[in-house]
Amino acid sequence: MHDGAMMSPAEGAAALDWLPGAATELSRHEADAAAFSNQAVALAVRLAKGGVRPTGEALAPIYASFARHLAAPITGINLGDFARLAQATQRLWVASGRDMALRPITEQLAMRFGLIAAALKTPLPQFDALFDMVFAPAFKTAEHWEQTTELLRTRMVDPYFKYLERVYPRIAPPVIPVPETRPLRIGYLCWSYETGGSYAIGRVLYSVMRGHALIGAAASEPFLYAQNRCSPTAEAQFAALPGLTRRDLSTVRDPEAAAHVVAADKLDALVVEGFNAFAFRVAQARPTPT
């Protein structure tokens, strides 16, 4: 997450002393989206290089400048400027130690993403990468989880999914009669099912797959699709579960190609992560009936 070599402690302290001037420079460019975004990126890179964790008090003028910029009326949104601003916000969030005071800014950025998604008429592959970058800080700085998820669903996720529906084709898998005695085929598409470290989704998926194993093959047949490979330990854990089919999508970078892989398994349903643009694209292609 850092660019270049770490600064010395003295250089890190100097970076903190430099913050007031950076805040003033940002505020000078609030009316100029391109200049503001470029200044914000430079600020975030410098903080990351410093390896310091500025306090919320030290960053308050920076946050105020971001808030004023994002609250300005939107007369025209340049996607390049927005992408730079999203990158700067994410870097600032990381450099600040994921400061919760950034919540109003991350939420504003998410709302602006939704406005862009609602306006787009043609597919922009680079826009998909922005979804993950914007969603994660807004989601992880939530003060009231239920309120934040509802806000993100209605103002960011729904417009994004509608954009996908407008600009990308759907797969039309053949309707295959399902015998009443056939077990349900349920797929799970994830970024990774790694179980080590702080990656909680992998451990959740392992519990779900164990549940399928306990229910038995007569009731359900689970499929697990991963966009990235895992550690040998995680692979061994999932390989030991009976009745589980795993598909490695790490070399399948095109969402439509991945959707065809899923469709070939003739699933009854597909479960995807809630903040994974690649998974959204696959789900939007309708590779399963539900």
Side-chain angles (χ1 to χ4, degrees), residues 2 42 107:
H2 294 254
E107 287 186 355

Side-chain angles (χ1 to χ4, degrees), residues 190-199 202-203 206 224 226-240 246 248 250:
C190 64
W191 173 256
S192 168
Y193 50 81
E194 178 59 54
T195 55
S198 62
Y199 200 74
R203 293 192 289 276
Y206 183 69
L224 188 55
Q227 295 169 239
N228 292 274
R229 292 181 177 174
C230 306
S231 65
T233 300
E235 294 287 358
Q237 283 180 300
F238 282 89
R246 291 175 296 147
D248 179 8
S250 61

Side-chain angles (χ1 to χ4, degrees), residues 1-3 37 40-41 43-45 47-48 53 63 66 70 82-99 102 105-106 109 129-138 140-141 275:
M1 301 301 296
H2 294 254
D3 295 74
S37 296
V41 170
L43 163 68
V45 169
L47 284 175
R53 290 285 183 260
Y63 295 169
F66 267 70
L70 286 172
F82 180 81
R84 285 190 290 273
L85 185 61
Q87 182 186 50
T89 303
Q90 187 194 49
R91 287 183 170 189
L92 180 62
W93 177 61
V94 173
S96 69
R98 302 186 176 188
D99 190 347
L102 269 167
I105 296 167
T106 58
L109 199 66
L130 287 175
F131 178 87
D132 297 339
M133 185 183 295
V134 173
F135 186 97
K140 293 181 179 180
T141 54
F275 53 98

